[in-house]
Amino acid sequence: MADHEHMPDQEHPHEAEARGAPFPWRRPGPFAPPDRHRECREAPGLTRVPRSAGEPTWVVTRYAEVREALNDERLGNDRGRPGFPAPFPIPKDFTLNSSLLGMDPPRHTDYRKRVAKDFTVRRVKLLRPRVEEIVDGQVAALADAGPPCDLLAGFALPITISVIMELLGIPPRDKDFLHVRTRTMFGGTATAAERKEAVNQLDAYFRDLVAAKYDDPGDDLVSKLTGAFPREDDFDELVHLTRLLFNGGHESTASMIAVGTLALLRHPDQLDLLRGDPDLAPQAVEELLRYLSVTDLTTARVARTDLTISGTPVREGEGVFPLTAAANRDPEAFERPDELDITRGSRKHLAFGHGRHLCLGSELARLELEVVFRTLYRRLPGLRLAVPFEELSFKDGGLVYGVEALPVTW
């Protein structure tokens, strides 16, 4: 990318918008990105596409340019900035720019420093025994109850919710209340008003929770963060951060457990490799993250100034979507990109983003996924779909891609 000092009043290259369905595009299946990804990746420069929730947006699809765009400070995350290209409708009187995801430097840099030390590889490793205990308990519960079951609702979500609730110090009794509202917030079918109500209810809940942590801190992460976020100055910021950590800490990882399991069941040669050598689990995690890219719609940006990307002029206030799912299938970055190969093991994928907005919980997600993939298929070696593959339905168009339910037997 290069600065563009003067932007003449002329039409952009590729100003003619794509025919067909507006962005975000539907996936043709759980293991294939939209066809438009390849078409845009092969076209010169950027492509400007119609957007279902508002003004057209630019899409960035090549690996090198997506990676650079994700860390370019000239592309902002502020949800309140005019032109921000949300993937679905957001009420005009309501924005999500109070959380870390919606901050730009220097404010983002300051807030992230206060939190990042609690999500280092070393800190996360200390959680392994408890994560293993939770996963072992949930597998045992599956075996005791017997088949069939919904692997998403009956296994993946209980694991990821239990881990993040313990980490944040959230009472177990509130699990269902929080999860229902999180699904409304992330889903692709809720209306803007329904999302607004869900987030308002979550904010009210977390305001009470955070206030209790200031009054009577424990040994959980939110209590620890009260020292980094003084109550008189940063109470609201810690509320938004706590909601962000909860939302990001269970929904996407649970989706990866379910869709990742489905991918392995549909690629039995890869599942056999993993069953034969559970030590392949860390490599399998990285490959499934690349192959599935379930959080592809979380990377929206808005130009904070005039600039050029891949030779294409982008004006201040225009929306830009660096598409990680497209980047993760770029043949210039990955050999045989459309093949699932759990021995690939590359960590250069962009499933967790890149740069200053790299997912805070990436190491925790890796740990949970590794423990699950190391344990589940060994303990339930006959695991298989309980319904025809064609009967499955998928969540498409929301912030997190996934399967609505995954009925399995063994």
Side-chain angles (χ1 to χ4, degrees), residues 226-377:
T226 60
F229 291 80
R231 188 171 194 165
E232 61 274 16
D233 298 322
D234 296 326
F235 178 85
D236 287 341
E237 281 73 13
L238 185 52
V239 171
H240 296 309
L241 176 61
T242 304
R243 189 195 73 208
L244 171 66
L245 293 173
F246 175 78
N247 290 342
H250 83 279
E251 183 79 15
S252 58
T253 308
S255 181
M256 271 300 304
I257 291 172
V259 179
T261 295
L262 179 62
L264 291 170
L265 291 174
R266 299 292 288 178
H267 295 81
D269 59 324
Q270 300 299 300
L271 183 52
D272 286 345
L273 284 175
L274 184 55
R275 282 173 171 153
D277 183 6
D279 287 340
L280 281 173
Q283 292 173 257
V285 167
E286 300 305 328
E287 176 67 348
L288 287 164
L289 286 165
R290 180 198 72 84
Y291 187 69
L292 298 169
S293 300
V294 300
T295 56
D296 187 40
L297 295 181
T298 63
T299 55
R301 301 288 192 268
V302 59
R304 302 171 69 187
T305 186
D306 292 345
L307 71 155
T308 61
I309 305 174
S310 189
T312 302
V314 177
R315 298 186 178 97
E316 179 181 357
E318 291 185 333
V320 177
F321 250 103
L323 296 175
T324 56
N328 286 339
R329 297 294 185 97
D330 187 343
E332 294 297 318
F334 301 95
E335 294 184 5
R336 302 171 288 106
D338 293 323
E339 293 183 24
L340 178 66
D341 177 4
I342 67 168
T343 66
R344 189 193 309 263
S346 173
R347 287 178 64 124
K348 75 174 186 179
H349 62 77
L350 302 176
F352 289 121
H354 174 71
R356 70 182 187 275
H357 280 282
L358 179 73
C359 175
L360 265 177
S362 59
E363 293 305 320
L364 179 60
R366 283 185 164 107
L367 172 61
E368 292 177 84
L369 292 168
E370 181 204 328
V371 173
V372 166
F373 293 155
R374 187 185 290 273
T375 305
L376 178 63
Y377 316 118

Side-chain angles (χ1 to χ4, degrees), residues 116-135:
K117 63 181 182 296
D118 293 298
F119 290 91
T120 62
V121 174
R122 183 179 64 84
R123 288 287 183 92
V124 170
K125 281 183 177 178
L126 298 176
L127 300 174
R128 177 178 283 272
R130 181 57 183 144
V131 172
E132 290 176 342
E133 184 179 3
I134 290 171
V135 172

Side-chain angles (χ1 to χ4, degrees), residues 25-35 37 259 267 291-292 325 329 338 389 396 401:
W25 303 305
R26 300 282 172 171
R27 301 188 184 201
F31 315 130
D35 292 337
H37 285 192
V259 179
H267 295 81
Y291 187 69
L292 298 169
R329 297 294 185 97
D338 293 323
F389 173 76
D396 210 341
Y401 183 80

Side-chain angles (χ1 to χ4, degrees), residues 54-285:
E55 293 297 313
T57 186
W58 296 102
V59 291
V60 189
T61 51
R62 287 177 286 274
Y63 178 89
E65 291 155 5
V66 170
R67 191 174 187 271
E68 191 171 350
L70 289 172
N71 200 37
D72 192 323
E73 292 191 3
R74 296 170 299 174
L75 296 176
N77 286 57
D78 187 345
R79 274 75 170 143
R81 184 183 286 268
F84 183 84
F88 42 63
I90 295 178
K92 292 182 179 180
D93 61 339
F94 180 75
T95 65
L96 299 176
N97 58 313
S98 297
S99 75
L100 267 175
L101 283 178
M103 291 181 184
D104 291 326
R107 187 172 175 228
H108 174 270
T109 307
D110 170 44
Y111 278 63
R112 189 173 176 103
K113 283 181 179 178
R114 304 191 208 183
V115 183
K117 63 181 182 296
D118 293 298
F119 290 91
T120 62
V121 174
R122 183 179 64 84
R123 288 287 183 92
V124 170
K125 281 183 177 178
L126 298 176
L127 300 174
R128 177 178 283 272
R130 181 57 183 144
V131 172
E132 290 176 342
E133 184 179 3
I134 290 171
V135 172
D136 285 341
Q138 203 61 43
V139 173
L142 282 187
D144 290 343
C149 85
D150 174 4
L151 196 75
L152 178 62
F155 178 75
L157 281 168
I159 288 171
T160 59
I161 289 178
S162 294
V163 171
I164 197 63
M165 289 180 75
E166 285 192 17
L167 186 65
L168 299 179
I170 298 173
R173 65 176 181 272
D174 298 332
K175 177 179 67 176
D176 291 341
F177 170 87
L178 294 170
H179 176 61
V180 167
R181 283 147 187 84
T182 300
R183 292 203 75 177
T184 300
M185 175 182 168
F186 279 163
T189 59
T191 66
E194 288 170 339
R195 285 194 185 90
K196 178 179 179 179
E197 179 63 19
V199 177
N200 286 343
Q201 291 177 356
L202 288 169
D203 271 344
Y205 175 88
F206 285 118
R207 290 185 74 83
D208 290 343
L209 179 78
V210 170
K213 302 297 183 183
Y214 278 112
D215 293 337
D216 186 19
D219 59 359
D220 55 84
L221 178 58
V222 179
S223 294
K224 187 183 301 183
L225 289 173
T226 60
F229 291 80
R231 188 171 194 165
E232 61 274 16
D233 298 322
D234 296 326
F235 178 85
D236 287 341
E237 281 73 13
L238 185 52
V239 171
H240 296 309
L241 176 61
T242 304
R243 189 195 73 208
L244 171 66
L245 293 173
F246 175 78
N247 290 342
H250 83 279
E251 183 79 15
S252 58
T253 308
S255 181
M256 271 300 304
I257 291 172
V259 179
T261 295
L262 179 62
L264 291 170
L265 291 174
R266 299 292 288 178
H267 295 81
D269 59 324
Q270 300 299 300
L271 183 52
D272 286 345
L273 284 175
L274 184 55
R275 282 173 171 153
D277 183 6
D279 287 340
L280 281 173
Q283 292 173 257
V285 167

